[in-house]
Amino acid sequence: MLHALRQAKAQATVAARVGIGGPVGSGKTALIEALIPVLQRRGVDFAVVTNDLVTKEDAERLRRSGLIDPDRVSAVEAGACPHTVIREDPTLTLAAGDELEARFPGVELILFESGGDNLASTFSLDLVDWWIFVIDVAGGDDIPRKRGPGLLRCDLLVVNKIDLAPHVGVDLDRMLADARQVRGGKPVIATNLKAGTGVEAVADAISAAVLFRI
């Protein structure tokens, strides 16, 4: 009996937890949508927790997408600034992740999407092991120079919608160079999620950092 208990404990998995934050409209949900088929092809067992102010819109978007089992998507309504439930008091979001992990034994990764917030939005390390911050070129190429805590402290910075750069007067090379400079060598990945550009690189980063798959 004791041997069986030890074996069960050894086989139990605790899911790695990855946060995805960033301003409204930067592409957080789109990044998850793009990652889903990539992670599935790689055999990753995963689930998703979203949070919004007073709606479940992002969760419903993922559930309706046909990309993922709807039961693997949980929604948290912050009822206040979105950073409240990923930083100040992540209790609700932690509980949502715990519930998914209990419902799907063997899940190895949970993605936590924050509601859209400003450049000061950061994740509590009580909630996630590693986190991504998403910005987009339409917000202006001066975003990296503003040095917001979200941009500086995240484990991975994603610069999205690079295809829009020539249409919004953004010098993409300068924006990426500034981002790499202010982040002191921490990774920056440029993406065009509609075309799939950079998605594999983001999946590679997650795999290496929290799943330990090289």
Side-chain angles (χ1 to χ4, degrees):
M1 182 66 166
L2 180 60
H3 174 73
L5 288 172
R6 285 174 175 168
Q7 189 174 40
K9 184 176 180 181
Q11 291 174 345
T13 60
V14 177
R17 300 187 173 199
V18 171
I20 300 177
V24 173
S26 58
K28 299 178 296 299
T29 307
L31 177 60
I32 293 174
E33 288 174 329
L35 283 170
I36 287 172
V38 175
L39 295 174
Q40 289 170 338
R41 285 198 302 271
R42 297 183 183 202
V44 178
D45 190 339
F46 67 97
V48 180
V49 175
T50 69
N51 74 68
D52 274 306
L53 180 58
V54 291
T55 71
K56 298 180 180 179
E57 185 171 337
D58 288 341
E60 292 303 328
R61 171 176 163 179
L62 291 171
R63 288 168 180 155
R64 292 193 303 265
S65 70
L67 296 168
I68 186 172
D69 176 357
D71 289 338
R72 286 179 174 261
V73 181
S74 181
V76 171
E77 292 184 34
C81 290
H83 62 248
T84 303
V85 291
I86 64 166
R87 186 178 68 205
E88 275 77 20
D89 181 7
T91 306
L92 289 173
T93 312
L94 279 165
D98 291 345
E99 194 274 335
L100 282 170
E101 199 166 345
R103 202 149 34 102
F104 296 99
V107 68
E108 55 189 318
L109 173 68
I110 300 178
L111 300 175
F112 290 87
E113 180 195 356
S114 172
D117 211 339
N118 57 41
L119 297 180
S121 181
T122 57
F123 279 84
S124 166
L125 294 182
D126 290 328
L127 174 62
V128 299
D129 305 298
W130 194 84
W131 56 289
I132 300 168
F133 198 75
V134 185
I135 61 174
D136 73 278
V137 300
D141 54 12
D142 60 340
I143 292 178
R145 298 194 298 277
K146 293 180 179 178
R147 298 171 180 260
L151 185 148
L152 294 177
R153 296 178 189 172
C154 64
D155 296 290
L156 171 65
L157 177 66
V158 169
V159 180
N160 189 31
K161 303 181 186 178
I162 57 174
D163 53 309
L164 296 183
H167 306 292
V168 293
V170 164
D171 183 335
L172 181 60
D173 290 338
R174 178 181 177 183
M175 185 175 186
L176 293 173
D178 286 344
R180 293 185 177 105
Q181 180 181 8
V182 300
R183 282 177 51 74
K186 289 195 291 185
V188 177
I189 295 177
T191 61
N192 170 3
L193 297 174
K194 286 190 174 181
T197 305
V199 178
E200 293 283 350
V202 174
D204 287 344
I206 294 171
S207 295
V210 298
L211 299 177
F212 306 108
R213 299 181 183 180
I214 307 300

